[in-house]
Structures are given as C-alpha cells and as structure tokens.
Amino acid sequence: SSARMALTRAEYQALENSVGEGKDKVSGKAPFFSSFSSSSRMITKIFTPSRVIWMFVVVNLLNYVDRGIIPGAPNQFQSFIHATTSVPESSESTYLGLLQSVFIASFSVAVVVAGNFVHIYPPFKVMGGGLAIWCVAVFISGFARPLSSFNVLVLGRALSGVGEASFQCIAPAFIQDYAPNGRQVLYLGIFFSSITVGIAGGYAYSAMVSTSSLGWGWAFYLEGMLMVPFVIICWMLPYQLKGAEEETPDISIEAGIPSSDNTEHTERQGPSLYKEVKSILSIPVFINISLGYAAYCAVLAGISTFGPIFFQGLQFFPDEKSASLHFSAIVAIAGIVGTPVGGYISDRLAGGKASREQVLTTCLRIMSFSSVFGIIFSVASAYCTTRNS
C-alpha cells in the first residue's frame, strides 16, 4: 500500500538530478518520484521535507503548550486538587507536582518503545498513532473538571506522555536526515525553541482560559482539536528515516511495480527492544549526554511547574494571571533568542561539511560554556533571595 512506501534521503540524492520540477525551495531536494503512485507523489509534493519540518515545529509547540497548562494556572488546579482529594493545603503542591511527574514517567517508558517500533513500522504511522493517543489524553484531562475527578486528570496526563513519546523520538531524527546540509543544527534549534516558547505560551494561554468563564477544561479541549489535522497528515506521509534505509523494503513492490525476481514483499524485522537498550547503554557518550539531559529536564520541569508560584510567593506580582504572563514572557524570549542562536553558532563553528561527530563536539563545548554562566546566575539568584528573606 502507498502508506508503507519509504522515502529515504539517499533516494532524494540519487534522483535529484533526474527530476527537474517540483523541488523543495528550502532543501533543494525533489519531493516526489515517478516510481511512486500518483497519490503518494501528490502527498510528497504538497508536504515537502521543509514543510514537514515546519509542521513539526507547530506540533511541538502544541505539545509544550499542553505542558504549560497546569503550571500556568496553579491556583485553579490547587483548588481542584483540594476539592477532589480533600488533602490539606500543605500537600496541594505535592499533588500538583505529581501531575507533571506522572507525565514524565509515562513519557520516559513510552519513548523507548516508540524508538524500537520505528524499525518495524513506518515512522509516520508510529507518530500518527502516538499523536492520536495524545488527542484522546488531552480530552480526558479536560473531562476531569466536569467529572470532578483527580484520578481522571492523572490518567489523562499519563496518557499524554505516552502519546507525545513517538513524536519526540522521530521528529529530531527526521530533521537531522532531511534538513539542508550544514544547517541541521539550526533547524534543530528552531524546532527545540518551540519547547520554551510552547511552555511560555501554555502559561499565558492557561492563565487566560482558566480564569475565564470557560474554565481550564477548555484549555485541553481546544489544543486537542487543533492537533487532529496533524494526526491525519502524519498518517498520510510516506517518508522513512535514514537509519532505517537498510531495513527498507523494495519500493517498486510497494508502488505496485513488479520486481525482477518476483519475490513477495515481507515485513521488515527490526532489532529487539532488549538488544537496542543493551547496545546504547554500552556507549559512554550516550550515557553522559542522557544524564546531562536528565538534569536539564529536571531543572526545566521544576522551573516550569513552580515558576509562577515562586513569583507570587516572592510578591513580585499581585495575582496568578500577572505572574504567569510575566513568567511566560521571560521564558519565551529566552527560547526564541537562545535556541536558534545556539544552533546557528554550532553550524558556523563546525562548518558546512562537518561530520556528525564534529557537530556533536561543537555543540557539547557550547553547552558546557553556557551552562557555566547558568550556574553562576542561579547561585547569584539564590543568594539574593535568601538575603532578602
């Protein structure tokens, strides 16, 4: 079927000179080939790699807007927690943190499974299925309010982690494969800038919707409806990741063109989950980067969850809405400026023809340098806060 066709970057490069029209203006690669069915050629002509990358930016934005909904209206959710669980006021922040933690826990498990599924199933099928689960999850989260059930909200947050996992493990790999040479890190920077911008937007969005007559339930409903078109698009896209190229079946068979040996198509078999996990855990660079990223995520989760509450506790702003809006502005500016600039500097320092190892080394040096400044400012902030108190 056309849905299982595989377009790899190698095929783009091999057939680039043979297709004179319909080239992607950003990547310069031909978005469709004569060997595919007319429906697939039309899909890849409309959704070229560069357009898919920009679609990823929007989807990632929605994912992180979702993460910003709960911390964006802490008073609203703490009141909900108190009303539905009858816990003392001193424990409400613990339950608020639980809503964020259950998301991370389910995401951490599901992302490993989704990464293994990519070797067996078409990546955009895996992504589409995950985003469909995400849509169901945010609707469940919204229904928790009229049902007055904290457990339903916990279920919705856990499922949203499962749904988002496939997108987060496939999208960066696709960008690395299909972004123009020498600009991969810049495109990844733009993609990841939607993390901070999305969270910041989530704060402002949640603060406005939750304090309106609609209530915070509609903050989940609206984002779920916005995601549905992207789920449908993902199910139609036939692209394949570069890493799966050697496992990709003969596309002539997939397109309905008889192959020379008249062999039947058999579904590709990927490595087992156990073997993959065992393999990557034997790579020291991977382990160190993962531990560093885990520390980064811990800090980001803590700040994103309790940042507006800190602002209120320090009496910087009179109410929840003002605290969330100002905190979102700080986070958005940092993400919009810092992430793409870091990607641009990495590409410039590494050079247009740099290998992945050279790009990685350059990125690690920049991160180490910037982290030192982050530590200095964090310690200074803690000192000032302690002294004022």
Side-chain angles (χ1 to χ4, degrees), residues 21 84 102 123 164 210 239 243 247 262:
E21 299 178 353
T84 55
V102 73
E164 187 179 326
S210 299
Y239 294 105
E247 302 168 6
N262 293 322

Side-chain angles (χ1 to χ4, degrees), residues 6-70:
L7 278 68
T8 66
R9 189 177 182 183
E11 291 164 355
Y12 269 93
Q13 294 171 340
L15 296 177
E16 189 173 291
N17 295 329
S18 65
V19 181
E21 299 178 353
K23 285 191 175 181
D24 185 346
K25 293 181 180 180
V26 173
S27 65
K29 298 178 178 67
F32 60 93
F33 309 102
S34 59
S35 59
F36 296 130
S37 66
S38 58
S39 60
S40 289
R41 277 183 285 165
M42 181 179 66
I43 291 170
T44 53
K45 182 177 180 180
I46 297 172
F47 298 104
T48 60
S50 65
R51 291 172 183 170
V52 173
I53 290 173
W54 285 109
M55 182 188 77
F56 285 167
V57 173
V58 177
V59 172
N60 205 35
L61 199 66
L62 285 174
N63 282 160
Y64 280 89
V65 163
D66 175 67
R67 298 196 193 190
I69 289 177
I70 292 176

Side-chain angles (χ1 to χ4, degrees), residues 90-112:
S90 59
S91 300
E92 288 174 3
S93 294
T94 302
Y95 279 73
L96 189 69
L98 174 64
L99 293 174
Q100 300 293 79
S101 298
V102 73
F103 168 88
I104 295 296
S106 61
F107 175 89
S108 300
V109 175
V111 75
V112 178

Side-chain angles (χ1 to χ4, degrees), residues 6-291:
L7 278 68
T8 66
R9 189 177 182 183
E11 291 164 355
Y12 269 93
Q13 294 171 340
L15 296 177
E16 189 173 291
N17 295 329
S18 65
V19 181
E21 299 178 353
K23 285 191 175 181
D24 185 346
K25 293 181 180 180
V26 173
S27 65
K29 298 178 178 67
F32 60 93
F33 309 102
S34 59
S35 59
F36 296 130
S37 66
S38 58
S39 60
S40 289
R41 277 183 285 165
M42 181 179 66
I43 291 170
T44 53
K45 182 177 180 180
I46 297 172
F47 298 104
T48 60
S50 65
R51 291 172 183 170
V52 173
I53 290 173
W54 285 109
M55 182 188 77
F56 285 167
V57 173
V58 177
V59 172
N60 205 35
L61 199 66
L62 285 174
N63 282 160
Y64 280 89
V65 163
D66 175 67
R67 298 196 193 190
I69 289 177
I70 292 176
N75 293 346
Q76 299 287 329
F77 282 95
Q78 285 180 328
S79 298
F80 174 78
I81 290 169
H82 181 75
T84 55
T85 62
S86 299
V87 298
E89 186 176 344
S90 59
S91 300
E92 288 174 3
S93 294
T94 302
Y95 279 73
L96 189 69
L98 174 64
L99 293 174
Q100 300 293 79
S101 298
V102 73
F103 168 88
I104 295 296
S106 61
F107 175 89
S108 300
V109 175
V111 75
V112 178
V113 178
N116 181 258
F117 278 3
V118 171
H119 299 292
I120 305 171
Y121 306 104
F124 279 92
K125 289 290 188 183
V126 177
M127 182 185 289
L131 292 178
I133 294 174
W134 185 90
C135 289
V136 173
V138 296
F139 283 123
I140 290 175
S141 299
F143 284 133
R145 186 171 184 264
L147 294 176
S148 297
S149 173
F150 178 76
N151 292 332
V152 171
L153 184 57
V154 170
L155 173 63
R157 302 319 296 154
L159 282 178
S160 67
V162 174
E164 187 179 326
S166 61
F167 173 78
Q168 295 296 344
C169 74
I170 294 171
F174 180 90
I175 295 172
Q176 183 68 37
D177 285 349
Y178 287 91
N181 290 330
R183 298 172 66 186
Q184 287 94 337
V185 182
L186 174 60
Y187 273 72
L188 284 169
I190 294 172
F191 173 77
F192 286 117
S193 67
S194 58
I195 293 177
T196 50
V197 175
I199 291 177
Y203 295 146
Y205 167 69
S206 177
M208 290 186 292
V209 177
S210 299
T211 55
S212 70
S213 59
L214 295 175
W216 56 260
W218 273 95
F220 290 111
Y221 298 150
L222 293 173
E223 67 176 5
M225 289 186 282
L226 288 174
M227 184 67 79
V228 171
F230 298 114
V231 174
I232 298 171
I233 292 172
C234 285
W235 274 89
M236 295 190 299
L237 292 176
Y239 294 105
Q240 181 61 275
L241 299 179
K242 183 180 179 181
E245 177 181 351
E246 57 198 37
E247 302 168 6
T248 300
D250 186 349
I251 60 174
S252 63
I253 296 176
E254 299 281 14
I257 302 173
S259 61
S260 56
D261 57 1
N262 293 322
T263 57
E264 290 187 11
H265 165 63
T266 57
E267 185 171 328
R268 55 185 179 169
Q269 296 295 324
S272 68
L273 180 60
Y274 170 76
K275 288 182 178 179
E276 279 203 308
V277 173
K278 182 180 179 181
S279 175
I280 61 177
L281 289 180
S282 65
I283 305 173
V285 174
F286 175 84
I287 294 175
N288 288 324
I289 291 177
S290 297
L291 291 174

